[in-house]
Amino acid sequence: EFSESQKRILERFVTDTSSNVFVLRNLPEVIKGALFSRYSRSTLGLRSLLLKEFILNEETAFDAIVGGQNQPEDEAAEAQSIAIKKAQNFYDRILDGYGDDSIGELGGAHLAIEQISMLAAKVIQDARVGGSPLEKSTRYVYFDQKVKGEYLFYREPVLMTSAYRDLYVETCNSLFETYSFLIPKVTQIMEELFPRDEEVLRSAYTAALRARVLDVLRGLLPAGTLTNMGVYGNGRFFQALIQKLTAHNLAELQEIGRKSYDELSKVMPSFVRRADPSHPNSRAMSRFYETMQAEIRLVASQHGPKVVHGLSQKEQPGAIPKGQSCESVRLIDYTKDAPIRVAAALLYSATGRELSDLMDYCRTLNAEELARILDSACSARENRRHKSPRALEQAFFTFELLSDFGVYRDLQRHRMLTQERQLLSCDFGYFVPQEIRETEWLDPYCNAMGRAREAFDTIREELPEEAQYVVPMAYRVRWYFHINLRALQWLVELRSCSQGHPTYRYLAHEMAHLICQQFPEFERFFRFADYEGYDLGRLSQEERAARKSQELS
């Protein structure tokens, strides 16, 4: 809630001062980039953050960068309206004349989507090309706040008007209460396990300790937990995203789609006009999604063993002991002659020969000769940020993973892969952090998980999709992804870093191990995978950041 004077200031820079969906405007790229970067580690909404840390902060030189502060508000608004109108006329003419969707990539916007569920955030982040999403972090921000006496989780309208209303609300409250209760307990455990060295800055130690504590406890947060997102995208990206959202089965996604269209229309109407729910293009897209999903469900029911809540008839949900199933990675499929294809592609640009000819040639080489070609692509790499050539994209791999939803949230965000998950459920057990397994706090954790499973099993009998909102992040989800060697190299070397979450570090190690086991020739491409163990994984990074901050101040 802002004062009238604050609203007058903000109205120039956001499309709406009260809605949970709004768009930034009248801000240079340098300020938008800095603002969204700060956004992911703040408990503040984007408007409050903009007002407090940018507009009112002399260090940002906001007035000098933005300019035009002395211009009357009506003149500024009129000038912007004229500019938008001119752009709209131009792009409408191009779109109507050529119908080229790539025209939509010439304009972009920063869209803020606040107070949405983590479940909804995953659907938005699944839109891969043309957009850059950033979500509030579960390892830098505590999620134990209350607003008007209520924990922040999504009150799904179908659930809230059903017979499961009280069960849903009570279960989510119980999960948040356990999360809040355990924060100081686990903090004390971490302080005893990893006492601060006198040479380590307290601010760095505190930040690393907080990340470790929240990594342990994030599994208690239900998928309905409210989060904030910043999304930068071009017009083509937003048009496709809005159409996807408005055609979704969940009411929350439909509402986000409609609000996003309304707000983006204020600053880039030409780019999203086909996403108008009343536009023939959008209506046709909705019919396509609805029909396609119905057809898939129909054929799925006619093939293979019957499925009961994600498990075959031979399995029963209760047959999986509480918290006992474990994370797993399976290599389902791969390019059989991957080393040959990669080697041939490496030679291609430096020769005048056909690719098929080069593949035949590489098949005649001995192991040492083939190794020399592969080495040429990686011998000069000095760190993981030195990206390998596109020749590595000739090798493809398909993995099926079983891990907690928190890890899925981290790995799903890699855009250069094809991934699909099954509905969230409590069928595959849940992850129990090692740090609390031998402590008195194990029972509160497991009891909260057990109550969540009981609620989920009750709700999903009638509302299987809406029941996902009550599933805690510690429960495992099954998904697959299809990825090429170049993208996998990046994923493994990034997600095995010391500051990463322990569980996804393990999965990254396993994927690299499976590939190198199948193709020893590819081990050279994972030279910067980090297999070392760490106590406070982020400590060194936080220490560097803290000391740099001291030097600058």
Side-chain angles (χ1 to χ4, degrees):
E1 296 180 2
F2 301 103
S3 65
E4 289 302 316
S5 61
Q6 290 174 327
K7 286 182 180 180
R8 284 194 294 272
I9 295 173
L10 287 171
E11 283 172 352
R12 186 183 175 205
F13 305 112
V14 298
T15 57
D16 195 293
T17 59
S18 59
S19 173
N20 69 317
V21 178
F22 54 94
V23 177
L24 293 176
R25 62 186 179 189
N26 298 329
L27 290 173
E29 293 296 326
V30 62
I31 292 180
K32 290 187 289 190
L35 177 60
F36 270 77
S37 178
R38 180 70 184 87
Y39 190 34
S40 66
R41 301 192 183 189
S42 173
T43 58
L44 297 176
L46 195 69
R47 289 166 295 218
S48 298
L49 193 64
L50 172 62
L51 190 65
K52 178 181 178 181
E53 297 193 21
F54 288 80
I55 297 176
L56 303 180
N57 186 351
E58 293 182 358
E59 291 180 319
T60 65
F62 190 87
D63 289 346
I65 293 175
V66 173
Q69 290 283 28
N70 297 324
Q71 186 178 12
E73 184 177 333
D74 56 343
E75 292 182 13
E78 183 180 1
Q80 185 180 58
S81 177
I82 293 173
I84 290 176
K85 188 63 177 176
K86 287 182 178 179
Q88 181 179 358
N89 291 337
F90 171 76
Y91 283 112
D92 282 354
R93 187 170 67 252
I94 297 297
L95 289 169
D96 290 338
Y98 297 95
D100 188 348
D101 288 342
S102 64
I103 296 293
E105 298 176 6
L106 298 180
H110 288 78
L111 177 70
I113 312 175
E114 298 187 345
Q115 302 300 290
I116 64 169
S117 72
M118 290 183 176
L119 191 64
K122 287 300 97 185
V123 176
I124 294 169
Q125 288 181 338
D126 198 34
R128 297 170 296 179
V129 180
S132 299
L134 188 65
E135 183 184 351
K136 185 166 74 173
S137 174
T138 58
R139 68 182 341 199
Y140 299 107
V141 179
Y142 293 104
F143 280 75
D144 59 339
Q145 303 95 346
K146 284 185 176 182
V147 174
K148 297 181 180 179
E150 294 185 338
Y151 286 113
L152 300 178
F153 59 88
Y154 183 62
R155 270 69 175 176
E156 206 286 326
V158 175
L159 288 174
M160 296 302 285
T161 56
S162 72
Y164 310 112
R165 172 195 172 100
D166 292 343
L167 176 62
Y168 173 70
V169 172
E170 290 169 4
T171 304
C172 288
N173 280 333
S174 173
L175 290 166
F176 275 96
E177 287 166 1
T178 306
Y179 173 88
S180 302
F181 170 75
L182 289 179
I183 286 176
K185 315 300 182 185
V186 175
T187 300
Q188 182 178 356
I189 292 174
M190 295 296 103
E191 289 174 337
E192 294 172 356
L193 288 174
F194 313 113
R196 182 176 74 89
D197 190 300
E198 291 184 358
E199 296 182 357
V200 175
L201 292 176
R202 178 165 294 279
S203 60
Y205 175 78
T206 300
L209 187 72
R210 179 181 64 235
R212 185 63 182 268
V213 170
L214 295 184
D215 277 349
V216 171
L217 296 177
R218 73 176 186 176
L220 286 161
L221 298 174
T225 300
L226 295 181
T227 185
N228 294 334
M229 288 190 73
V231 185
Y232 176 77
N234 60 48
R236 187 176 186 177
F237 165 82
F238 280 124
Q239 177 177 288
L241 175 64
I242 292 169
Q243 290 175 336
K244 177 182 179 181
L245 295 177
T246 53
H248 202 279
N249 291 337
L250 290 175
E252 180 187 16
L253 275 301
Q254 295 171 17
E255 181 184 29
I256 294 172
R258 289 191 296 268
K259 287 186 174 181
S260 297
Y261 170 77
D262 290 342
E263 299 305 317
L264 287 165
S265 293
K266 297 176 182 178
V267 295
M268 50 187 304
S270 298
F271 296 105
V272 297
R273 64 193 184 96
R274 293 180 181 175
D276 185 339
S278 64
H279 193 282
N281 185 278
S282 287
R283 292 203 300 268
M285 188 66 70
S286 296
R287 289 194 301 270
F288 162 66
Y289 277 131
E290 183 178 351
T291 303
M292 176 186 65
Q293 291 169 359
E295 290 291 330
I296 291 175
R297 286 193 295 268
L298 176 62
V299 297
S301 68
Q302 298 171 344
H303 295 274
K306 277 196 172 182
V307 173
V308 180
H309 304 315
L311 298 175
S312 67
Q313 285 184 321
K314 296 180 181 180
E315 302 171 282
Q316 294 298 322
I320 299 177
K322 180 174 64 175
Q324 293 301 306
S325 60
C326 60
E327 284 65 28
S328 66
V329 183
R330 296 171 58 208
L331 180 59
I332 302 298
D333 194 16
Y334 52 86
T335 305
K336 302 301 187 291
D337 57 348
I340 298 299
R341 290 179 177 273
V342 171
L346 285 170
L347 297 175
Y348 185 76
S349 63
T351 70
R353 303 172 67 174
E354 295 180 355
L355 184 59
S356 59
D357 183 31
L358 287 170
M359 288 182 183
D360 291 339
Y361 167 73
C362 288
R363 289 187 178 95
T364 67
L365 301 177
N366 60 39
E368 184 177 348
E369 292 169 326
L370 192 65
R372 178 67 186 89
I373 297 174
L374 297 177
D375 280 339
S376 69
C378 61
S379 59
R381 289 185 78 214
E382 297 177 359
N383 57 66
R384 67 175 179 83
R385 291 182 175 82
H386 289 178
K387 296 183 179 180
S388 295
R390 290 182 177 177
L392 273 66
E393 296 177 11
Q394 287 288 329
F396 283 93
F397 309 95
T398 301
F399 295 95
E400 185 173 54
L401 300 94
L402 182 68
S403 70
D404 64 81
F405 183 56
V407 168
Y408 169 82
R409 293 175 68 251
D410 294 316
L411 297 185
Q412 177 253 12
R413 293 186 287 119
H414 288 267
R415 299 182 195 110
M416 297 307 293
L417 57 81
T418 299
Q419 70 83 29
E420 191 72 66
R421 71 168 173 85
Q422 297 174 344
L423 291 181
L424 297 187
S425 75
C426 298
D427 293 336
F428 303 113
Y430 55 85
F431 174 72
V432 179
Q434 184 65 42
E435 292 82 354
I436 64 171
R437 289 188 180 184
E438 304 299 328
T439 73
E440 60 184 306
W441 312 122
L442 176 63
D443 283 344
Y445 182 92
C446 292
N447 290 338
M449 292 297 167
R451 288 192 295 271
R453 175 168 185 162
E454 292 174 1
F456 170 78
D457 286 341
T458 300
I459 296 172
R460 74 167 168 187
E461 291 297 329
E462 184 179 349
L463 302 170
E465 290 198 60
E466 288 77 6
Q468 294 180 97
Y469 284 102
V470 82
V471 177
M473 286 171 56
Y475 272 100
R476 296 180 175 89
V477 60
R478 187 162 57 192
W479 86 96
Y480 79 85
F481 64 70
H482 184 67
I483 189 170
N484 65 55
L485 179 60
R486 186 173 184 240
L488 182 65
Q489 178 191 53
W490 174 262
L491 185 151
V492 166
E493 293 184 343
L494 172 65
R495 294 304 183 182
S496 65
C497 287
S498 61
Q499 60 265 33
H501 190 282
T503 308
Y504 72 56
R505 288 193 71 209
Y506 165 77
L507 295 180
H509 296 159
E510 283 297 295
M511 285 187 280
H513 173 72
L514 289 171
I515 296 303
C516 296
Q517 187 178 49
Q518 188 65 44
F519 299 109
E521 304 96 323
F522 288 162
E523 187 172 355
R524 55 177 45 83
F525 295 125
F526 298 101
R527 61 184 295 189
F528 296 111
D530 191 343
Y531 294 98
E532 298 296 325
Y534 295 87
D535 296 330
L536 289 181
R538 290 200 59 85
L539 184 57
S540 60
Q541 184 165 324
E542 296 292 350
E543 177 81 355
R544 288 195 299 271
R547 293 197 181 279
K548 186 174 182 180
S549 178
Q550 280 188 344
E551 293 172 0
L552 295 175
S553 61

